Amino acid sequence: MDFNTTYYQTARLLYNLALEANDAGDFFPIHGTCMGFQLLSILTANDHSVLDDGIFDSENLPLPLILSSTALKSRVLGQAPQQGMHIIHI
């Protein structure tokens, strides 16, 4: 990944703003799915090599989302509408 692209620089800015907000006590979660998660991994490590071949052995490995018993009391899921929560197995 080229760290000089507008895409990466914008992502880095938003990532840093979210970190600053969280550090100041303003809960501001960031979520990344698929390539978004990859980008968050790169931003956190500040190194694109975290995605190199052989680093993670998870290709073609679908895993279930297993939430803890307190997940529905968390700041992320605590405010979620209950009508759709039955699809998440706790």
Side-chain angles (χ1 to χ4, degrees), residues 1 4 21 27 47 49 57 59 61 64 67 72-73 80 86 90:
M1 169 173 272
N4 295 316
F27 180 64
D47 181 358
S49 70
D57 186 19
E59 188 170 338
L61 179 65
L67 301 175
L72 294 179
K73 297 175 186 166
H86 68 280
I90 298 178

Side-chain angles (χ1 to χ4, degrees), residues 55-88:
I55 301 296
F56 297 105
D57 186 19
S58 59
E59 188 170 338
N60 294 321
L61 179 65
L63 297 170
L65 176 62
I66 301 172
L67 301 175
S68 71
S69 60
T70 59
L72 294 179
K73 297 175 186 166
S74 70
R75 291 188 279 185
V76 173
L77 294 178
Q79 300 298 315
Q82 292 302 304
Q83 68 233 31
M85 295 306 288
H86 68 280
I87 61 173
I88 298 178

